[in-house]
Structure formats: structure tokens, C-alpha cells
């Protein structure tokens, strides 16, 4: 029977949780003085997931190795648990002062070594020496991070740290034990004593590593980055986790065009490619309201908007032909597709309408795509894009009317839900409807009310919901470059019908005022479409109740700064 192991460093050497790869039987917990002892046994594990860095770059660019920079944003308040590992020469230094000197000389920006990180160096050197001496072990030993494993199990960043000022935090330990129990580990092991030479938190970290090892053995492993990098000795540089288990969903919800499991799969697919964006909590009584208000700052996403999520989900789930990808866009979708294509080494051709702001067109070109002016309005650009796709065979990435796009945008709702689990209502700006379709698909059947926000002069979703089917509307709004679709289409209508509570309409003056106040009060430079949901709140188009926990999406930062300067006065 093949066995796998989760391993963590401890005072006595290494604590290992060893179990069969293919069933949920109780693991054997032991402490070994050297990792090589575990790997040299006759029935040694075929796979070892170890909580210790593997692979040491000769130079460090940014705040640590690539995996650390990718994983850290996923952990919310637990980011500090991911140490910044310095270069190989610094790790090989035996003296702290020398390690700091070498780290400063081989990092940009220059960074010293933390005392806590320095204490890990002997164990890092032990693994490094073992894998370099026995290269056949490289395929059997992978690096994991327990907090990333716990975050994957929870579907969100954890609420409580394991330790506070070096002391065990009971709330944090209980939170992690619950997650491990849900993953199938016996309570008797989770609540039992750690073996001699290991601490209780070491035990939980080894068990979390075991969960990852089992998932990797089952073909569900996910590395950060994907594919892993390599150091100058050929050792992999990647932190591994796994694709999460799909949550149970009510049968009534599985009939929807886009479901929670589809969004979960998209989240696993784009993890490490799209940013986890923060929430700004304004608190009760903010903006003169009796509600408890927070802002979801998706404006900080790569390429300036949520569109990056859908773009990556398309590129990572569909086959890309030699002709590359093509999209029609008022700007943000084009910038996102261009960015994702650049990151994946794919050719991109983007068709934009004449009304696209220069700032957005410049962003698309900056990401290496070819820009083609495709007509006066968005729908004209879409027709030009369709002709191009028919002639060349390029893959069309639709900004809203595609399940892959909607599931990708739905990851925003999933992420938001994890950051703000007690929300009552979310306000979401609507253009073509891909974003609100994804968010509504995530929250469908829950207690969270999803409210759309459209400009008075561009109300394609409200008109479709009223008509019980997609209809074509005229468009005239200050936000028409991003919220200017004339028809949302059948897929968006079907996703939103019964899942969107209602659509609030805002005048252009309220959108402009929202831009002004977001800059004045929060120093957020936001385009008109990205400020629309905030405009609905300050203009009274949506009036929250007393004590209502309201989330407002701020979703686009590709603004013409010269125009914003005029608005801000």
C-alpha cells in the first residue's frame, strides 16, 4: 500500500504524519531526527509534503521567492506567516550578520534576514543538501505551506492566528482542527498530544501537509507558480496546495447556467494569476448612513478591473489556437485579455469602439495586444471582432456572454464572501452583466441580496429583467465606455433572473460625484463605471436599512486622470 507523509520541522527534528495515500485511515505520527531517515525506510512514503522552503534562487527580486509573493496575498491577515526566504548564499551562511550582508547584496530592493527566518536555515540547508545529493528524491518531496492548505480547506483566509506573540492561540488551533476534521482526519489524532520533540501547532501543520500530500497523490495538486520554477541546481521553486472540494449545493441551484462548483473550479484555476483584492471597512454610520458599509476594492486588480478574472479563466480552461485570442471591449475587458494573454505568451487582437478612453486603449497596447478601432459603439466593435474570429480562427473571449467569463467573474463573489461572511447586501455595477451574473451565481440561494446598479441612460439588465428576456436599449451615459452594452443576452438574463434582487438606476451626476468623493475621501482614482455602485449609495438610489451590512463594489481604475482632475476640482 502506497503511503504519503506530511512533514513539519520541530524541536526534535521533523514531525511526520504518515498515512495511506488512497484512504482516510488514521495517520501514524512520529518524530525523526533527520528527513533522510524517513525517506530511507523500506516502506518509505512515495510522496512527502514538507513545510520548509525547497529551491533557492541566487538573487531575490521583490519580497521573497516567487512562490511567497504569489501565496502571501491569498492569506489575508495570515500573510506574516509566509517568511521572505533570501538567496542561496544567504541561507548557506552560518552567522546571522553574514547572512544579512549576503541577503542585502543579493536582493532588490535590499532586504535583511529576519531572526525567525534565520532559525529555519539549518533545516532548509538539510533539505537542500539531501535533494542535491539524491536527485531521484526531487520528484518525491514537495514544498507546502500549512496556512495555504488551511486557506484552501476553508475557501477563505482564516480568522484567527495559531499564535499571538509566540503563545498558542486556542481560537486559532480550534479553527484549524475543525478544518482538518472536515478533511477526514480523526478527532482522536487532532486532539491527542503531540509526540515528544514537537509542539501542538507542529502536529497540526504536519497534518495539514498530509492533507495536501493526499490530494497531490490523487492528481489534484496545484503549484504556485504553475509551472514551478527551478533554481540553478535544478531544484523546484513552488509551494503546493490542491484544488478544493466542491461544496454541497441545493439541487435547485444546480439548474443554474453557472453554479458554485463552476466558480470554485475557476477560483482554483486562476489562483496566483488574479490578485486577492482587499476590503475597506468604513463601519457603521459612514457616509451619513445607518448601515455598516464596506468597499470591495477590485479596482486594485491586475489591469485595473475585475475583468482579469474572467480573462484568465478563459485562457486557462479553453484551447488557444495559433491565431491567438480576440475580444471586443470598451477598454477594461480588452486590457484584461491583453494582460492575461501577455502573461501566458499568447497573441491578442482587441477591437475597441470609438468612445473608448485613450487611457484604456493605451493600457491595452501596453500589455502587447494589437488594437483595432471597430466602430462607434461597443456592439459595433463586437461585430468587427466576430468577423475577425471567423476569418482567422482566433479564440473569441466574450466580456460577459460566456460561462467561462461569468464563472471567472464569480470568483470575486466567492472571495468577497470569504472576506465578509456577514454581508446582507452587495451593490454591483452592471454593463454587459458578466460581473453581476457571476456574483449572483455565487450568492444564489443564500441570505445575501445582490443589487445591480446601472446608469439611467444605459439600463440593459433592468430592461431585460422587466421584460423577462433580453431586449435592446439605447445607450447614453458618462459611463458608456464600460457600462454601455445595448443587450445583455440570454445567458446573463438567465443567470440574473431570480438571483438579482433588483437594479437601481443612477444619474450621471451621481456617478461623477462618486468619482469625486472616492478621490477626495479615499484617494481612489476610479473610472465612471467603477464608481457607479458607490454613486447609487451616496445619491440614495439604494437606501440601506439600519444596521444593514452593505458591501459596495469599486471595480475599475482605468480612468483618464486629466478628466478626474477636472471632476475633483
Amino acid at each position: 500500500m502506497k503511503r504519503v507523509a506530511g512533514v513539519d520541522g520541530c524541536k526534535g527534528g521533523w514531525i511526520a504524519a504518515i498515512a495511506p495515500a488512497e484512504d482516510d485511515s488514521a495517520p501514524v505520527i512520529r518524530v525523526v531526527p533527520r528527513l533522510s531517515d524517513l525517506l530511507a525506510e523500506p516502506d518509505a512514503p512515495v510522496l512527502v509534503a514538507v513545510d520548509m522552503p525547497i529551491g533557492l534562487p541566487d538573487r531575490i527580486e521583490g519580497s521573497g521567492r516567487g512562490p511567497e509573493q504569489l501565496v502571501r496575498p491569498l492569506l489575508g491577515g495570515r500573510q506574516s506567516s509566509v517568511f521572505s526566504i533570501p538567496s542561496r548564499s544567504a541561507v548557506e551562511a552560518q552567522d546571522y550578520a553574514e547572512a544579512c550582508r549576503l541577503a542585502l547584496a543579493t536582493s532588490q530592493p535590499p532586504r535583511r534576514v529576519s531572526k525567525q527566518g534565520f532559525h529555519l536555515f539549518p533545516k532548509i540547508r538539510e533539505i537542500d543538501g539531501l535533494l542535491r545529493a539524491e536527485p531521484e528524491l526531487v520528484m518525491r518531496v514537495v514544498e507546502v505551506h500549512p496556512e495555504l492548505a488551511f486557506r484552501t480547506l476553508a475557501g477563505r483566509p482564516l480568522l484567527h492566528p495559531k499564535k499571538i506573540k509566540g503563545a498558542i492561540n486556542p481560537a486559532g488551533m480550534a479553527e484549524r482542527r475543525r478544518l482538518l476534521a472536515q478533511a477526514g482526519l480523526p478527532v482522536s489524532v487532532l486532539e491527542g498530544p503531540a509526540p515528544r520533540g514537537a509542539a501542538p501547532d507542529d502536529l497540526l501543520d504536519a497534518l495539514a501537509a498530509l492533507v495536501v500530500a493526499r490530494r497531490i497523490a490523487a492528481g489534484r495538486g496545484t503549484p504556485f507558480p504553475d509551472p514551478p520554477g527551478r533554481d540553478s541546481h535544478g531544484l523546484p521553486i513552488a509551494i503546493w496546495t490542491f484544488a478544493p472540494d466542491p461544496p454541497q449545493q441545493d439541487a435547485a441551484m444546480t439548474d443554474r447556467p453557472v453554479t458554485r462548483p463552476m466558480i470554485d473550479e475557476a477560483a482554483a484555476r486562476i489562483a496566483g494569476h488574479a490578485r486577492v483584492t482587499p476590503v475597506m471597512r468604513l463601519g457603521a454610520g459612514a457616509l451619513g448612513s445607518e448601515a455598516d458599509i464596506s468597499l470591495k476594492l477590485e479596482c486594485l486588480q491586475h489591469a485595473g478591473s475585475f475583468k482579469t478574472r474572467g480573462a484568465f479563466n478563459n485562457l486557462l480552461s479553453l484551447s488557444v489556437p495559433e491565431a491567438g485570442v480576440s475580444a471586443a471591449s470598451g477598454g477594461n475587458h480588452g486590457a484584461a485579455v491583453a494582460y492575461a494573454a501577455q502573461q501566458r505568451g499568447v497573441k491578442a487582437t482587441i477591437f475597441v469602439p470609438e468612445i473608448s478612453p485613450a487611457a484604456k486603449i493605451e493600457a491595452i497596447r501596453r500589455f502587447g495586444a494589437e488594437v483595432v478601432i471597430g466602430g462607434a459603439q461597443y456592439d459595433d466593435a463586437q461585430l468587427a471582432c466576430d468577423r475577425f474570429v471567423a476569418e482567422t480562427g482566433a479564440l473569441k473571449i466574450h466580456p460577459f456572454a460566456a460561462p467561462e467569463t461569468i464563472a471567472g467573474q464569480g470568483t470575486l463573489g466567492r472571495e468577497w464572501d470569504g472576506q465578509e461572511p456577514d454581508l446582507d447586501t452587495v451593490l454591483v455595477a452592471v454593463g454587459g452583466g458578466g460581473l453581476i451574473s457571476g456574483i449572483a451565481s455565487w450568492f444564489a440561494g443564500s441570505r445575501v441580496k445582490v443589487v445591480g446598479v446601472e446608469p439611467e441612460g444605459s439600463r440593459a439588465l433592468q430592461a431585460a429583467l422587466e421584460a423577462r428576456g433580453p431586449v435592446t436599449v439605447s445607450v447614453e451615459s458618462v459611463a458608456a465606455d464600460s457600462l454601455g452594452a445595448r443587450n445583455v443576452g440570454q445567458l446573463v438574463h438567465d443567470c440574473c433572473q431570480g438571483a438579482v434582487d433588483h437594479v437601481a438606476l443612477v444619474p450621471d451626476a451621481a456617478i461623477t460625484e462618486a468619482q469625486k468623493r472616492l478621490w477626495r475621501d479615499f484617494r481612489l482614482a476610479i473610472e465612471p463605471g467603477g464608481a457607479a455602485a458607490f454613486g447609487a449609495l451616496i445619491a440614495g438610489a439604494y437606501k440601506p436599512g439600519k444596521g444593514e451590512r452593505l458591501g459596495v463594489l469599486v471595480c475599475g481604475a482605468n480612468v483618464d486622470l486629466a478628466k478626474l482632475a477636472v471632476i475633483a476640482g
Side-chain angles (χ1 to χ4, degrees):
M1 181 180 294
K2 294 182 179 180
R3 302 192 305 165
V4 296
V7 177
D8 188 29
C10 64
K11 187 175 181 180
W14 302 88
I15 179 173
I18 310 164
E22 298 177 356
D23 63 51
D24 289 335
S25 56
V28 174
I29 310 297
R30 21 187 311 232
V31 170
V32 295
R34 293 174 299 276
L35 189 61
S36 57
D37 297 337
L38 179 66
L39 291 163
E41 295 175 348
D43 59 345
V46 297
L47 179 70
V48 174
V50 59
D51 174 23
M52 199 61 62
I54 297 172
L56 301 171
D58 295 326
R59 289 194 59 82
I60 299 295
E61 301 290 335
S63 57
R65 301 178 307 156
E68 288 134 21
Q69 296 184 51
L70 290 172
V71 165
R72 202 174 282 124
L74 302 176
L75 301 185
R78 309 281 77 78
Q79 293 188 31
S80 61
S81 66
V82 183
F83 299 128
S84 295
I85 303 302
S87 66
R88 173 174 291 280
S89 61
V91 171
E92 290 175 345
Q94 306 285 325
D95 175 73
Y96 178 67
E98 178 66 3
C100 287
R101 185 187 70 79
L102 290 167
L104 287 167
T106 55
S107 59
Q108 183 59 43
R111 298 176 67 92
R112 293 170 59 87
V113 175
S114 70
K115 287 286 182 70
Q116 197 169 5
F118 181 72
H119 291 315
L120 297 178
F121 288 5
K123 288 197 175 342
I124 299 176
R125 291 195 293 265
E126 179 184 340
I127 293 184
D128 183 71
L130 175 64
L131 297 182
R132 289 168 60 188
E134 302 183 48
E136 67 275 9
L137 294 178
V138 168
M139 298 300 293
R140 291 174 53 195
V141 182
V142 298
E143 177 184 347
V144 298
H145 194 291
E147 290 301 289
L148 178 59
F150 287 123
R151 191 249 184 260
T152 305
L153 288 170
R156 56 167 174 74
L158 270 61
L159 301 176
H160 307 286
K162 281 185 303 186
K163 291 184 175 181
I164 299 177
K165 295 183 178 179
I168 290 290
N169 175 27
M173 296 290 281
E175 184 179 20
R176 286 158 180 79
R177 286 191 182 102
R178 283 194 298 272
L179 291 169
L180 292 172
Q182 291 168 9
L185 292 171
V187 174
S188 59
V189 174
L190 297 173
E191 297 185 351
R196 186 172 181 177
D201 59 314
D202 298 330
L203 172 60
L204 294 192
D205 286 352
L207 291 169
L210 174 63
V211 171
V212 179
R214 279 176 159 167
R215 302 304 197 274
I216 294 174
R220 294 174 53 195
T222 299
F224 290 82
D226 184 8
R230 297 278 171 174
D231 70 7
S232 58
H233 293 272
L235 300 187
I237 305 176
I239 296 175
W240 284 78
T241 186
F242 55 92
D245 295 323
Q248 296 297 314
Q249 190 169 24
D250 293 340
M253 291 300 103
T254 60
D255 294 333
R256 303 194 60 79
V258 175
T259 63
R260 273 196 170 202
M262 292 170 65
I263 295 170
D264 282 321
E265 291 168 6
R269 201 174 287 124
I270 71 172
H273 298 285
R275 285 181 179 138
V276 175
T277 55
V279 168
M280 179 188 294
R281 294 177 177 85
L282 307 184
L287 308 174
S289 169
E290 293 184 323
D292 188 352
I293 298 170
S294 61
L295 306 180
K296 172 66 169 164
L297 301 183
E298 187 67 7
C299 51
L300 301 180
Q301 186 57 258
H302 290 301
S305 82
F306 67 90
K307 299 281 191 178
T308 297
R309 299 173 184 266
F312 269 116
N313 194 45
N314 274 275
L315 282 172
L316 294 169
S317 59
L318 299 173
S319 177
V320 179
E322 186 177 345
V325 297
S326 184
S329 169
N332 285 341
H333 179 60
V337 171
Y339 172 79
Q342 182 186 64
Q343 295 299 304
R344 302 298 296 173
V346 173
K347 178 185 176 182
T349 305
I350 310 299
F351 290 81
V352 301
E354 295 170 1
I355 61 171
S356 295
K360 294 188 178 183
I361 293 177
E362 189 278 328
I364 296 170
R365 290 195 172 113
R366 188 172 69 249
F367 295 134
E370 180 182 355
V371 177
V372 180
I373 305 299
Q377 298 288 337
Y378 166 76
D379 286 358
D380 302 318
Q382 185 65 67
L383 288 173
C385 176
D386 291 344
R387 286 193 296 269
F388 175 81
V389 168
E391 293 167 0
T392 65
L395 173 66
K396 181 173 77 171
I397 300 182
H398 200 284
F400 53 86
E404 294 82 8
T405 300
I406 291 173
Q409 320 307 27
T411 65
L412 194 162
R414 181 183 187 273
E415 181 180 294
W416 203 354
D417 194 16
Q419 293 169 318
E420 294 275 75
D422 297 325
L423 284 172
D424 297 309
T425 307
V426 293
L427 295 184
V428 180
V430 181
L435 173 61
I436 196 168
S437 291
I439 291 175
S441 295
W442 177 261
F443 285 118
S446 75
R447 57 182 292 274
V448 178
K449 181 172 64 177
V450 178
V451 177
V453 177
E454 290 183 298
E456 290 179 346
S458 182
R459 50 181 294 272
L461 181 60
Q462 188 195 57
L465 294 178
E466 288 178 351
R468 299 185 179 275
V471 295
T472 299
V473 299
S474 60
V475 172
E476 185 175 352
S477 170
V478 68
D481 66 296
S482 57
L483 307 184
R486 295 173 184 163
N487 191 313
V488 297
Q490 192 66 49
L491 178 60
V492 167
H493 170 267
D494 292 348
C495 287
C496 294
Q497 185 71 45
V500 172
D501 185 81
H502 69 279
V503 176
L505 299 181
V506 292
D508 281 355
I511 294 174
T512 303
E513 178 64 19
Q515 287 184 274
K516 178 178 180 179
R517 290 180 63 171
L518 285 166
W519 175 252
R520 184 194 69 192
D521 297 345
F522 308 108
R523 282 301 185 256
L524 294 173
I526 306 300
E527 64 188 87
F534 189 71
L537 178 63
I538 64 174
Y542 179 79
K543 297 179 180 179
K546 184 176 182 180
E548 182 176 346
R549 290 182 60 86
L550 176 65
V552 181
L553 185 60
V554 182
C555 56
N558 293 314
V559 61
D560 185 321
L561 294 178
K563 290 184 178 178
L564 182 63
V566 173
I567 291 169

